[in-house]
Coordinates of all heavy atoms in Angstrom, one line a residue:
S76 N 16.8 22.2 -11.4 CA 15.7 23.0 -10.8 C 15.6 24.4 -11.3 O 16.7 25.1 -11.5 CB 15.9 23.0 -9.3 OG 14.9 23.7 -8.6
R77 N 14.4 24.9 -11.4 CA 14.1 26.3 -11.8 C 13.2 26.9 -10.7 O 12.4 27.7 -11.0 CB 13.6 26.4 -13.2 CG 14.5 25.8 -14.2 CD 14.1 26.2 -15.6 NE 14.2 27.7 -15.8 CZ 13.7 28.3 -16.9 NH1 13.2 27.6 -17.9 NH2 13.8 29.6 -17.0
D78 N 13.3 26.3 -9.5 CA 12.6 26.9 -8.4 C 13.4 26.7 -7.1 O 13.9 25.5 -6.8 CB 11.2 26.2 -8.2 CG 10.3 26.9 -7.2 OD1 10.7 26.9 -6.0 OD2 9.3 27.4 -7.6
P79 N 13.7 27.7 -6.3 CA 14.5 27.6 -5.2 C 14.0 26.6 -4.1 O 14.8 26.2 -3.2 CB 14.6 29.0 -4.6 CG 13.5 29.7 -5.2 CD 13.2 29.1 -6.5
A80 N 12.7 26.3 -4.1 CA 12.1 25.4 -3.1 C 12.5 24.0 -3.4 O 12.4 23.1 -2.5 CB 10.6 25.6 -3.1
L81 N 13.0 23.7 -4.6 CA 13.5 22.3 -4.9 C 14.9 22.4 -5.4 O 15.2 22.8 -6.5 CB 12.6 21.7 -6.0 CG 11.1 21.5 -5.7 CD1 10.3 21.1 -6.9 CD2 11.0 20.3 -4.6
R82 N 15.8 22.1 -4.5 CA 17.2 22.2 -4.7 C 17.8 21.0 -5.4 O 17.4 19.9 -5.1 CB 18.0 22.5 -3.4 CG 17.6 23.8 -2.7 CD 18.3 23.9 -1.4 NE 17.9 22.9 -0.5 CZ 18.4 22.8 0.8 NH1 19.4 23.6 1.2 NH2 18.0 21.8 1.6
E83 N 18.7 21.2 -6.3 CA 19.3 20.1 -7.0 C 20.1 19.2 -6.0 O 20.7 19.7 -5.1 CB 20.3 20.6 -8.1 CG 19.6 21.4 -9.2 CD 20.5 21.9 -10.3 OE1 21.7 21.6 -10.2 OE2 20.0 22.6 -11.2
G84 N 19.9 17.9 -6.2 CA 20.5 16.9 -5.3 C 19.6 16.4 -4.2 O 19.8 15.4 -3.6
E85 N 18.5 17.2 -4.0 CA 17.5 16.7 -2.9 C 16.8 15.5 -3.4 O 16.5 15.3 -4.6 CB 16.5 17.8 -2.7 CG 17.0 18.9 -1.8 CD 15.9 19.9 -1.4 OE1 15.0 20.1 -2.2 OE2 16.0 20.5 -0.3
L86 N 16.4 14.7 -2.4 CA 15.6 13.5 -2.6 C 14.1 13.9 -2.3 O 13.8 14.5 -1.3 CB 16.0 12.3 -1.7 CG 17.4 11.8 -2.1 CD1 17.8 10.8 -1.0 CD2 17.4 11.1 -3.4
V87 N 13.2 13.6 -3.2 CA 11.8 14.0 -3.1 C 10.9 12.8 -3.3 O 11.2 11.9 -4.1 CB 11.5 15.2 -4.0 CG1 12.3 16.4 -3.7 CG2 11.6 14.8 -5.5
F88 N 9.7 13.0 -2.8 CA 8.6 12.1 -3.0 C 7.6 12.8 -3.9 O 7.3 14.0 -3.6 CB 7.9 11.6 -1.7 CG 6.5 11.0 -1.9 CD1 6.4 9.6 -2.1 CD2 5.4 11.8 -1.9 CE1 5.2 9.1 -2.2 CE2 4.1 11.2 -2.1 CZ 4.0 9.8 -2.2
H89 N 7.0 12.1 -4.9 CA 5.9 12.8 -5.7 C 5.0 11.7 -6.3 O 5.3 10.5 -6.0 CB 6.6 13.6 -6.8 CG 7.4 12.8 -7.8 ND1 6.8 12.2 -8.9 CD2 8.7 12.5 -7.8 CE1 7.8 11.6 -9.5 NE2 8.9 11.7 -8.9
R90 N 4.0 12.1 -7.0 CA 3.1 11.1 -7.5 C 3.1 11.1 -9.1 O 2.1 10.6 -9.7 CB 1.7 11.5 -7.0 CG 1.5 11.4 -5.5 CD 0.1 11.5 -5.1 NE -0.7 10.4 -5.5 CZ -0.9 9.3 -4.8 NH1 -0.4 9.3 -3.5 NH2 -1.6 8.3 -5.2
Q91 N 4.2 11.6 -9.7 CA 4.3 11.5 -11.1 C 5.2 10.3 -11.5 O 6.2 10.5 -12.2 CB 4.9 12.8 -11.7 CG 4.1 14.1 -11.3 CD 2.7 14.1 -11.8 OE1 2.5 13.7 -13.0 NE2 1.8 14.5 -11.0
G92 N 4.7 9.2 -11.1 CA 5.5 8.0 -11.3 C 5.3 7.3 -12.6 O 4.7 7.9 -13.5
W93 N 5.7 6.0 -12.7 CA 5.6 5.2 -13.9 C 6.3 5.9 -15.1 O 5.9 5.9 -16.2 CB 4.1 5.0 -14.3 CG 3.5 4.0 -13.4 CD1 3.1 4.2 -12.1 CD2 3.0 2.7 -13.7 NE1 2.5 3.1 -11.5 CE2 2.4 2.2 -12.5 CE3 3.0 1.9 -14.8 CZ2 1.9 0.9 -12.4 CZ3 2.5 0.6 -14.7 CH2 1.9 0.1 -13.5
R94 N 7.4 6.6 -14.8 CA 8.2 7.3 -15.8 C 9.6 7.4 -15.2 O 9.8 7.5 -14.0 CB 7.7 8.6 -16.2 CG 7.5 9.6 -15.1 CD 6.6 10.8 -15.5 NE 5.2 10.5 -15.2 CZ 4.2 11.2 -15.6 NH1 4.3 12.3 -16.3 NH2 2.9 10.8 -15.2
T95 N 10.7 7.5 -16.0 CA 12.0 7.6 -15.5 C 12.3 9.0 -15.0 O 13.2 9.1 -14.1 CB 13.0 7.2 -16.6 OG1 12.8 8.0 -17.7 CG2 12.9 5.7 -17.0
H96 N 11.7 10.0 -15.6 CA 11.9 11.4 -15.2 C 10.6 12.1 -15.1 O 9.7 11.8 -15.9 CB 12.8 12.1 -16.3 CG 14.2 11.4 -16.5 ND1 14.4 10.3 -17.2 CD2 15.4 11.8 -16.0 CE1 15.7 10.0 -17.2 NE2 16.3 10.9 -16.4
S97 N 10.5 13.0 -14.1 CA 9.3 13.7 -13.9 C 9.6 15.2 -13.7 O 10.6 15.5 -13.1 CB 8.6 13.1 -12.7 OG 8.3 11.8 -12.8
V98 N 8.7 16.0 -14.2 CA 8.8 17.4 -13.9 C 7.7 17.8 -12.9 O 6.5 17.5 -13.1 CB 8.6 18.3 -15.2 CG1 8.5 19.8 -14.9 CG2 9.7 18.0 -16.2
V99 N 8.1 18.3 -11.8 CA 7.2 18.6 -10.6 C 7.3 20.0 -10.2 O 8.4 20.7 -10.3 CB 7.5 17.6 -9.5 CG1 7.3 16.2 -9.9 CG2 8.9 17.8 -8.9
T100 N 6.3 20.5 -9.5 CA 6.3 21.8 -8.9 C 6.6 21.5 -7.4 O 6.4 20.4 -6.9 CB 5.0 22.5 -9.0 OG1 4.0 21.7 -8.3 CG2 4.6 22.6 -10.5
P101 N 6.9 22.6 -6.6 CA 7.1 22.4 -5.2 C 5.9 21.8 -4.5 O 6.0 21.1 -3.5 CB 7.5 23.8 -4.7 CG 8.1 24.5 -5.8 CD 7.3 23.9 -7.0
E102 N 4.7 22.2 -5.0 CA 3.4 21.7 -4.4 C 3.2 20.2 -4.7 O 2.5 19.5 -3.9 CB 2.2 22.5 -4.9 CG 2.2 24.0 -4.5 CD 3.2 24.8 -5.3 OE1 3.6 24.4 -6.4 OE2 3.7 25.8 -4.7
E103 N 3.8 19.7 -5.7 CA 3.7 18.3 -6.1 C 4.7 17.4 -5.5 O 4.6 16.2 -5.7 CB 3.7 18.2 -7.6 CG 2.5 18.9 -8.3 CD 2.7 18.9 -9.8 OE1 3.9 18.9 -10.3 OE2 1.7 19.0 -10.5
A104 N 5.7 17.9 -4.8 CA 6.8 17.1 -4.3 C 7.0 17.4 -2.9 O 6.8 18.6 -2.4 CB 8.1 17.4 -5.1
R105 N 7.5 16.4 -2.2 CA 7.8 16.6 -0.7 C 9.3 16.1 -0.5 O 9.6 15.0 -0.8 CB 6.9 15.8 0.1 CG 7.2 15.7 1.6 CD 6.0 15.2 2.4 NE 5.6 13.9 1.9 CZ 6.1 12.7 2.4 NH1 7.1 12.7 3.3 NH2 5.7 11.5 1.9
T106 N 10.1 17.0 0.1 CA 11.5 16.7 0.3 C 11.5 15.6 1.4 O 10.8 15.7 2.5 CB 12.3 17.9 0.8 OG1 12.3 18.9 -0.3 CG2 13.7 17.5 1.1
L107 N 12.3 14.6 1.2 CA 12.3 13.4 2.2 C 13.4 13.6 3.2 O 14.6 13.9 2.9 CB 12.6 12.1 1.4 CG 11.5 11.7 0.5 CD1 11.9 10.5 -0.3 CD2 10.2 11.4 1.2
P108 N 13.1 13.3 4.5 CA 14.1 13.3 5.5 C 14.9 12.0 5.4 O 14.4 11.0 4.9 CB 13.3 13.3 6.8 CG 12.0 12.7 6.4 CD 11.7 13.1 5.0
R109 N 16.2 12.0 5.7 CA 17.0 10.8 5.7 C 17.2 10.4 7.2 O 17.6 11.2 8.0 CB 18.3 11.0 5.0 CG 18.2 11.3 3.5 CD 17.4 10.2 2.8 NE 17.9 8.9 2.9 CZ 18.7 8.2 2.1 NH1 19.2 8.9 1.0 NH2 19.1 7.0 2.3
F110 N 16.9 9.2 7.5 CA 17.1 8.7 8.8 C 18.2 7.6 8.8 O 18.3 6.7 8.0 CB 15.8 8.0 9.3 CG 14.6 8.9 9.3 CD1 13.6 8.7 8.4 CD2 14.5 9.9 10.2 CE1 12.5 9.6 8.4 CE2 13.4 10.8 10.3 CZ 12.4 10.6 9.3
D111 N 19.2 7.8 9.7 CA 20.3 6.9 9.8 C 19.9 5.5 9.9 O 19.0 5.1 10.8 CB 21.2 7.3 11.0 CG 21.9 8.6 10.9 OD1 22.0 9.1 9.7 OD2 22.4 9.2 11.9
G112 N 20.4 4.6 9.1 CA 20.1 3.2 9.1 C 18.8 2.8 8.5 O 18.5 1.6 8.6
V113 N 18.1 3.7 7.9 CA 16.8 3.4 7.3 C 16.9 3.5 5.8 O 17.2 4.6 5.3 CB 15.7 4.3 7.8 CG1 14.3 4.0 7.2 CG2 15.6 4.2 9.4
P114 N 16.7 2.5 5.0 CA 16.8 2.5 3.6 C 15.8 3.5 3.0 O 14.7 3.7 3.5 CB 16.5 1.1 3.1 CG 16.8 0.3 4.3 CD 16.4 1.1 5.5
L115 N 16.2 4.1 1.9 CA 15.3 5.1 1.2 C 14.0 4.4 0.8 O 12.9 5.1 0.8 CB 16.0 5.6 0.0 CG 15.2 6.7 -0.8 CD1 15.0 7.9 0.0 CD2 16.1 7.1 -2.1
S116 N 14.0 3.2 0.5 CA 12.8 2.5 0.0 C 11.7 2.5 1.1 O 10.5 2.4 0.8 CB 13.1 1.0 -0.4 OG 13.6 0.3 0.7
A117 N 12.1 2.6 2.4 CA 11.1 2.6 3.4 C 10.0 3.8 3.2 O 8.9 3.7 3.7 CB 11.7 2.8 4.8
H118 N 10.4 4.8 2.5 CA 9.5 5.9 2.3 C 8.4 5.6 1.3 O 7.5 6.3 1.1 CB 10.3 7.2 1.8 CG 11.1 7.8 2.8 ND1 10.6 8.6 3.8 CD2 12.4 7.8 3.1 CE1 11.5 9.1 4.6 NE2 12.7 8.6 4.2
L119 N 8.5 4.4 0.7 CA 7.4 3.9 -0.1 C 6.7 2.7 0.5 O 5.7 2.3 0.1 CB 7.9 3.4 -1.5 CG 8.2 4.5 -2.5 CD1 8.7 3.9 -3.8 CD2 7.1 5.5 -2.8
S120 N 7.2 2.2 1.6 CA 6.6 1.1 2.3 C 6.1 1.6 3.7 O 5.1 2.4 3.8 CB 7.5 -0.1 2.5 OG 8.7 0.3 3.1
I121 N 6.7 1.2 4.8 CA 6.2 1.5 6.1 C 6.2 3.0 6.5 O 5.4 3.4 7.3 CB 6.8 0.6 7.2 CG1 5.9 0.6 8.4 CG2 8.2 1.2 7.5 CD1 6.3 -0.5 9.4
L122 N 7.1 3.8 5.9 CA 7.1 5.2 6.2 C 6.3 6.0 5.1 O 6.2 7.2 5.2 CB 8.5 5.7 6.2 CG 9.4 5.2 7.3 CD1 10.8 5.8 7.3 CD2 8.8 5.4 8.7
G123 N 5.8 5.4 4.1 CA 5.0 6.0 3.0 C 3.6 5.9 3.2 O 3.0 5.6 4.3
G124 N 2.9 5.9 2.0 CA 1.4 5.8 2.0 C 0.9 4.5 2.6 O -0.1 4.4 3.2
T125 N 1.7 3.4 2.4 CA 1.4 2.1 2.9 C 1.3 2.1 4.4 O 0.4 1.7 5.0 CB 2.4 1.1 2.4 OG1 2.3 1.0 1.0 CG2 2.2 -0.3 3.0
G126 N 2.4 2.6 5.0 CA 2.5 2.6 6.5 C 1.5 3.6 7.0 O 0.9 3.3 8.1
L127 N 1.3 4.7 6.4 CA 0.3 5.7 6.9 C -1.1 5.2 6.8 O -1.9 5.5 7.7 CB 0.5 7.0 6.1 CG -0.3 8.2 6.6 CD1 0.1 8.6 8.0 CD2 -0.1 9.4 5.7

Side-chain angles (χ1 to χ4, degrees):
S76 178
R77 300 193 66 186
D78 191 295
L81 293 170
R82 295 178 296 178
E83 293 180 7
E85 281 187 330
L86 294 170
V87 298
F88 166 90
H89 62 87
R90 300 189 68 94
Q91 304 298 319
W93 290 67
R94 61 197 88 187
T95 57
H96 299 79
S97 305
V98 174
V99 299
T100 66
E102 293 74 27
E103 295 170 333
R105 174 168 56 88
T106 301
L107 294 174
R109 294 306 304 266
F110 301 109
D111 290 343
V113 178
L115 183 60
S116 61
H118 288 284
L119 285 180
S120 58
I121 199 164
L122 296 183
T125 295
L127 189 59

